[in-house]
Amino acid sequence: MWVTDITEHSTREGKVYCCVVLDVYSHRVVRWSIDAGQTAALVTNALGMAIHNRTPPPGTLIHSDHGVQFTSWAFTQRAKASSLVPSMGSIGDRFDNAVIESFWGTDADRAAQPKAMEDPGRADKCDLRVPGDLPQPATATQCLRDALFERLVRVRVNQADSTELGVHHPAGFAGQPTVRCDTSDLIKNHYSGCVFQGGYPTWKLARTSHIQYNGKNIKNNIKEHSDHIWDAFNHPSITKPFAPLKKVPGYSLDGLLITRAAGKETYDKNVRVKNGYCQGRYGYTSPFTDADRAPDPVTKMPKQCDEFPYARSVQGAGWNGRDFSLRYIGERANTAAGATQIIFWDRYRVLHGDHFFVEPQRL
């Protein structure tokens, strides 16, 4: 049996809404979704990810309140298509859906403020917050791969583990840095689903024409995007729009962080300014020529205006003067880069307000 509900959180840019799907038996967050509005898409996305992640048996109950999001056609059809049975309690019953209401009131608060381990002798142990009779993984790497991660936890890792996690720590690794991990299924499948306290996740971008993936040599579809970011960091004078002494943030070697922003206001402003430069609208004079926008002469594929830092960041085109970079790249490359960015945020737990670096490969 699953239960689901929506809660709201205030941020500096307004409210965001979180929908969680909770397993009643294990009290485990199966999956969750965050959006700027309380829409049917918010709850349907959370349910869809939970179904994809867990593959529940036919007849599994999905219980909710009578909110319009949960009574929507989209949510109901998504549940029925996977042989789930939608369930709702009586109207006006304050005890209805009490399991997840309790989760919002207690577990979420405790998870948001976990206690750091105080015993230095347990530097390689995990504070799993599970009953003491359950097996406790012995090393940090085993912890991160273990399915016992039911809630937000902290572990301590050594330098080898930190390299494995792919996280940039500008202060070095003296003193065994603490990492924060959450969402058990991400950690089970991608044990890098953690961030250092005091360190920053780093998105490493390949610039070779082909990459190794699952033992296969495949085409690198984001190469154009990676090359664009490399030039933005190392040759800003050739990127557009032109600005003297332009310094594009996001490079770990420069220490200039990017901050993810999930709010609609930031995204809309960044896109509006980017489109103004790319298309010569909103009072801007476009720095691009028709040749910049022309389809690829070989593939005949259309091009799109690639922006860095990203539209969903505080440092995007609308908020950072002219310390940003634009380039027309292939539509496929732009789409692939966007999808890869979402995977990076998902794996490395880059949430609203979190900082990260981008590191294109040096050839």
Side-chain angles (χ1 to χ4, degrees):
M1 178 178 179
W2 289 350
V3 291
T4 183
D5 194 20
I6 302 172
T7 189
E8 69 176 38
H9 296 279
S10 297
T11 72
R12 287 173 293 182
E13 297 192 10
K15 293 180 179 179
V16 293
Y17 299 89
C18 176
C19 177
V20 159
V21 177
L22 189 72
D23 187 300
V24 173
Y25 177 77
S26 68
H27 207 66
R28 173 181 185 171
V29 174
V30 183
R31 219 57 167 173
W32 51 264
S33 179
I34 293 178
D35 206 333
Q38 297 188 75
T39 63
L42 170 69
V43 298
T44 305
N45 287 343
L47 179 62
M49 288 188 287
I51 292 169
H52 177 76
N53 192 63
R54 185 65 71 86
T55 315
T60 298
L61 289 177
I62 176 69
H63 184 80
S64 67
D65 59 25
H66 287 259
V68 294
Q69 301 86 358
F70 301 110
T71 59
S72 67
W73 180 89
F75 181 82
T76 304
Q77 288 300 115
R78 186 67 182 91
K80 290 182 177 179
S82 299
S83 300
L84 271 63
V85 180
S87 167
M88 294 182 183
S90 57
I91 298 176
D93 185 351
R94 64 178 178 173
F95 297 110
D96 182 35
N97 224 8
V99 172
I100 200 163
E101 295 293 350
S102 175
F103 168 79
W104 292 134
T106 56
D107 288 348
D109 288 341
R110 288 201 301 269
Q113 298 177 348
K115 293 182 179 180
M117 296 190 305
E118 298 176 357
D119 181 4
R122 295 182 60 214
D124 288 330
K125 299 291 184 181
C126 294
D127 180 9
L128 290 175
R129 304 160 184 248
V130 295
D133 57 340
L134 290 179
Q136 301 291 314
T139 69
T141 302
Q142 288 175 336
C143 288
L144 300 179
R145 290 173 174 157
D146 201 290
L148 288 174
F149 273 79
E150 301 288 352
R151 302 189 181 97
L152 183 66
V153 297
R154 284 185 180 180
V155 298
R156 292 183 184 275
V157 298
N158 59 32
Q159 186 166 356
D161 289 322
S162 65
T163 303
E164 189 175 17
L165 290 172
V167 180
H168 177 74
H169 193 278
F173 295 96
Q176 300 291 339
T178 302
V179 299
R180 185 187 79 225
C181 311
D182 64 342
T183 308
S184 58
D185 298 301
L186 274 175
I187 292 172
K188 182 173 67 175
N189 298 323
H190 309 291
Y191 55 89
S192 56
C194 306
V195 294
F196 278 113
Q197 304 292 105
Y200 307 103
T202 302
W203 184 13
K204 297 185 178 182
L205 299 175
R207 294 176 57 221
T208 51
S209 60
H210 288 74
I211 57 175
Q212 292 294 317
Y213 182 76
N214 286 342
K216 297 180 180 179
N217 190 40
I218 64 173
K219 183 179 179 180
N220 179 12
N221 288 324
I222 66 170
K223 175 176 169 52
E224 283 186 274
H225 175 72
S226 303
D227 288 341
H228 172 205
I229 296 179
W230 173 265
D231 287 339
F233 289 153
N234 296 281
H235 310 289
S237 62
I238 69 172
T239 65
K240 298 175 180 180
F242 172 76
L245 305 178
K246 181 160 69 174
K247 193 72 171 178
V248 178
Y251 201 14
S252 59
L253 297 182
D254 296 332
L256 299 176
L257 291 157
I258 298 178
T259 307
R260 185 182 177 187
K264 187 175 184 298
E265 179 186 355
T266 299
Y267 175 78
D268 287 348
K269 184 172 182 180
N270 286 337
V271 170
R272 185 171 65 251
V273 173
K274 179 204 76 168
N275 287 342
Y277 278 104
C278 293
Q279 301 166 13
R281 297 188 296 173
Y282 315 117
Y284 295 93
T285 300
S286 175
F288 294 99
T289 66
D290 290 340
D292 293 317
R293 304 182 181 91
D296 186 281
V298 177
T299 65
K300 308 300 182 184
M301 292 291 291
K303 290 185 179 180
Q304 293 180 346
C305 193
D306 187 36
E307 170 190 5
F308 185 79
Y310 307 107
R312 295 199 179 276
S313 72
V314 172
Q315 293 79 13
W319 296 81
N320 199 34
R322 288 200 174 185
D323 287 333
F324 64 94
S325 180
L326 303 172
R327 176 177 292 176
Y328 272 91
I329 65 174
E331 181 181 48
R332 181 177 296 174
N334 199 36
T335 301
T340 309
Q341 178 189 82
I342 293 173
I343 293 172
F344 165 72
W345 283 342
D346 201 26
R347 285 186 177 181
Y348 288 90
R349 312 307 305 121
V350 182
L351 306 179
H352 175 78
D354 286 345
H355 307 300
F356 64 97
F357 287 115
V358 179
E359 192 172 294
Q361 178 185 8
R362 180 185 296 272
L363 297 179

